[in-house]
Amino acid sequence: VKSILAITMNPSVDISYPLKTLHLNTVNRVNDVAKTAGGKGLNVARVLHQLNSPVIASGVLGGTIGEFIEKQLDETGIRHEFMAIDQESRNCIAILHDDMQQTEILEKGPILNSNDETKFLVHFEKQLENIAVVTISGSLPEGLSKRLYAQMIEISSSKGIPVLLDSSGETLKASLTGDKKPFLIKPNQEEIAQLIQQPIKDLTHLKQILTDNQLFSGVEWIVVSLGADGALVKHGTQCYRLTIPKIDVVNPVGSGDSTVAGLASAISKKASDIEIMTTGMATGMLNTIEKQTGFINTNLFTEYYEKVLIKKIN
Ligand code: ATP
């Protein structure tokens, strides 16, 4: 069977420091530290692995932080083939304090150049053997061309491999104005508004934007995720409204990534349109009821799959 290649260009070790109270300008001691391999594409890879979809995690990694990420992937049993760089990958720190407050300190990560870019594109192209689907998630490290994802989409498309892109801002824009369009994009409403530099009034307006704006023409699947409100989807010329019931959310971070994993898994199995959309919603919801980011309880998959409602809209 073919695998899914899950790309993370700027992975991190995510460190969480739970503190009862955060004291400024003095020492804070923390007892239960959690350090996990992070970055949106790694969340996608973890959920795919849980769904039993063969996955290879790729992107760029370096230094002892890079080694830590690879070790954690080994322990989970996730195949990885990152390109090594001679800089450290980043740490991202989240301090959880004072009753649900979250203070984050995010390193920028390595600064790469056009040489790294050329090397990575060669690395990427070599990986495309026996790949059913490529997912690309998150932002690019500084120094790389905003067109890198567009180039990766061109390479994949020339081999007939669909790309699922979950990015935002300039990189998303560059990927929608390239020679080849991604097969699927999964922006949220805010990312669409930012892309077209216009606020979105309501779902009718959103549907109109997806239909009329040239940026989106030729993108086979547009999945606009709406958090607790489900999603608005455009597939070809058909639009769908996906709704989900109210559920008890524990931690919604990474549910977009979990949705991408569900979509990729179903697409790689050549599932029907309805199955693709339903799987994406089910995996998104399943992530929100777990403490851990990019983690789902697969025993509950069928139960949540059955909760998704899909209606054609025109
Ligand atoms: P993130 O950036 O945190 O990964 P996102 O903004 O990309 O998230 P969302 O639209 O928040 O993505 O969530 C993706 C999917 O996860 C939703 O379409 C839905 O299926 C599920 N989901 C997210 N939040 C909730 C919620 N509060 N209740 C139920 N389901 C949710």
Side-chain angles (χ1 to χ4, degrees), residues 186 188 225-228 230 244 247 249 252-257 259 281 284-285 288:
K186 195 228 63 67
N188 56 32
S225 64
L226 307 166
I244 52 180
I247 54 176
V249 172
V253 179
S255 32
D257 304 332
T259 292
M281 285 301 96
M285 280 191 281
T288 69

Side-chain angles (χ1 to χ4, degrees), residues 43-254:
N43 294 338
V44 174
R46 264 196 295 268
V47 174
L48 280 168
H49 182 67
Q50 289 189 292
L51 289 168
N52 262 327
S53 279
V55 58
I56 303 171
S58 176
V60 294
L61 271 187
T64 50
I65 296 172
E67 281 168 25
F68 180 92
I69 294 171
E70 289 185 320
K71 188 167 149 260
Q72 238 190 27
L73 290 171
D74 284 336
E75 282 164 6
T76 324
I78 296 175
R79 229 175 113 186
H80 54 84
E81 292 173 4
F82 283 84
M83 182 180 94
I85 50 168
D86 57 7
Q87 292 174 61
E88 277 290 334
S89 290
R90 60 189 178 145
N91 278 321
C92 290
I93 299 172
I95 307 166
L96 313 165
H97 59 98
D98 301 277
D99 195 30
M100 298 295 281
Q101 290 199 60
Q102 183 159 339
T103 302
E104 296 190 24
I105 298 169
L106 308 181
E107 292 181 26
K108 192 156 63 177
I111 299 176
L112 302 179
N113 58 40
S114 58
N115 225 348
D116 300 310
E117 188 169 315
T118 312
K119 264 169 56 192
F120 180 74
L121 285 173
V122 173
H123 177 88
F124 174 71
E125 183 156 11
K126 275 200 209 133
Q127 291 183 305
L128 291 178
E129 216 154 288
N130 242 343
I131 294 296
V133 172
V134 172
T135 68
I136 304 177
S137 309
S139 56
L140 284 167
E142 200 176 301
L144 298 183
S145 154
K146 295 277 178 270
R147 287 206 71 253
L148 181 66
Y149 291 163
Q151 293 181 71
M152 291 165 72
I153 293 164
E154 280 158 28
I155 295 170
S156 302
S157 303
S158 72
K159 296 179 188 286
I161 304 170
V163 175
L164 279 52
L165 176 69
D166 184 7
S167 189
S168 58
E170 284 301 314
T171 41
L172 174 58
K173 190 160 196 177
S175 308
L176 293 174
T177 47
D179 287 347
K180 291 273 189 258
K181 299 273 181 148
F183 180 73
L184 180 150
I185 54 172
K186 195 228 63 67
N188 56 32
Q189 212 168 175
E190 204 182 306
E191 287 161 346
I192 294 271
Q194 189 196 24
L195 184 70
I196 62 161
Q197 297 186 325
Q198 194 187 327
I200 294 161
K201 285 177 240 155
D202 51 30
L203 290 187
T204 312
H205 184 209
L206 175 60
K207 179 173 166 281
Q208 188 202 334
I209 290 163
L210 300 186
T211 310
D212 296 348
N213 195 306
Q214 278 308 306
L215 280 175
F216 303 111
S217 78
V219 181
E220 181 99 6
W221 284 95
I222 307 165
V223 179
V224 184
S225 64
L226 307 166
D229 283 330
L232 184 83
V233 176
K234 181 165 178 280
H235 178 221
T237 53
Q238 182 64 54
C239 288
Y240 300 89
R241 178 77 176 95
L242 280 47
T243 49
I244 52 180
K246 191 169 163 33
I247 54 176
D248 288 327
V249 172
V250 178
N251 174 15
V253 179

